[in-house]
Amino acid sequence: MIMKFFYPYSIIFVYAFLLSLSVSQASETEQVSPEVLAQQLQEKYNSLTSLVFTFDQVTRTGSRKRVGQGEAEFYRYRPPREEGSDKDSLPVQSVMRWNYTLPDAQIIISDGETLSIYTEKDKQLIRTPAKELESDITYAFFAGTRNLLDDFTPLPPSDEYTFSTGSELRALLLVPRVPHNQIQDVQVWFDDHYLIRHLLIRDHFDSVTELNFPTIKADSLTPGDRKQLERIITFPLPPDTEIISH
């Protein structure tokens, strides 16, 4: 997953979205199946046009602990309509940007075609085809390119994973339907608006990565704004940057 670039992984996929659907809310006393909750999560993220959030990231491997922090943006848009084409028939495109401030300054951008990873201390930019992200089932869910229930079996939350917060959250355990080369399982905690507030991913070596999202703004960016799009996917590249393309 994207996290392989961040110290030493980069980041995660997480949180991309986008267009306008209401999500049905269950009463507090109603018991909702994991399958229904997973579908409601999917609908929520499919309905969003943008998501802006801060994140704290911790990866634990045995006694080793790696910490990350920063902010990120996801943005959905339709490309300009070509003459004679139906705008509604054009596929929705997703872009993302992760700005790490810890452990080192790092920028990760996907413009839909290219995944770019710039590390300030190394003065290095790595470029790779963004299509590699499509094989990342967690990113694909957040970007709205795959259906959660196609890739994961939703189960009640595992007591093995805990996360405490001042507000009450629901949780789901997600297990890949087909064995995945990186993910053993994922547990998500989400609020009453079906926004994910905490995420825990375990790999096959029992390394655990947790992402906490202290602040989240849904649909705060103007839809279809070309300036917003350009701001997200571009940044001034220092002239002494080494560029590596895969």
Side-chain angles (χ1 to χ4, degrees), residues 193-206:
H193 300 289
Y194 289 83
L195 292 174
I196 297 175
R197 310 299 307 209
H198 193 75
L199 182 69
L200 183 150
I201 303 167
R202 181 174 61 168
D203 67 17
H204 295 288
F205 300 99
D206 284 329

Side-chain angles (χ1 to χ4, degrees), residues 112-144:
E113 294 184 1
T114 302
L115 177 66
S116 301
I117 303 157
Y118 173 71
T119 306
E120 184 177 285
K121 74 171 186 177
D122 297 332
K123 298 181 179 180
Q124 188 178 84
L125 176 70
I126 298 175
R127 286 176 173 161
T128 189
K131 65 181 181 181
E132 294 186 10
L133 294 174
E134 296 304 315
S135 64
D136 185 319
I137 57 180
T138 47
Y139 169 81
F141 159 58
F142 287 119

Side-chain angles (χ1 to χ4, degrees), residues 39-83:
Q39 186 60 45
Q40 290 173 335
L41 274 175
Q42 181 75 63
E43 290 175 354
K44 178 63 177 183
Y45 281 88
N46 285 352
S47 76
L48 299 175
T49 57
S50 68
L51 203 62
V52 180
F53 55 93
T54 58
F55 65 89
D56 302 310
Q57 179 175 341
V58 178
T59 298
R60 295 181 178 87
T61 305
S63 60
R64 295 181 60 195
K65 177 180 176 180
R66 298 181 296 280
V67 178
Q69 190 176 73
E71 59 184 11
E73 295 178 86
F74 285 83
Y75 191 60
R76 267 186 154 182
Y77 71 100
R78 290 187 185 274
R81 181 177 65 86
E82 297 181 1
E83 186 175 353

Side-chain angles (χ1 to χ4, degrees), residues 27-29 31 163-171 189-195 197:
S27 67
E28 294 183 3
T29 58
Q31 295 297 316
F163 174 67
S164 60
T165 180
S167 58
E168 186 174 343
L169 300 176
R170 296 184 183 185
W189 288 260
F190 53 96
D191 61 24
D192 289 341
H193 300 289
Y194 289 83
L195 292 174
R197 310 299 307 209

Side-chain angles (χ1 to χ4, degrees), residues 129-177:
K131 65 181 181 181
E132 294 186 10
L133 294 174
E134 296 304 315
S135 64
D136 185 319
I137 57 180
T138 47
Y139 169 81
F141 159 58
F142 287 119
T145 59
R146 301 271 288 276
N147 190 296
L148 184 65
L149 290 173
D150 289 343
D151 294 315
F152 291 99
T153 298
L155 300 171
S158 171
D159 293 336
E160 181 181 355
Y161 303 140
T162 60
F163 174 67
S164 60
T165 180
S167 58
E168 186 174 343
L169 300 176
R170 296 184 183 185
L172 274 177
L173 180 67
L174 304 172
V175 179
R177 292 187 182 276

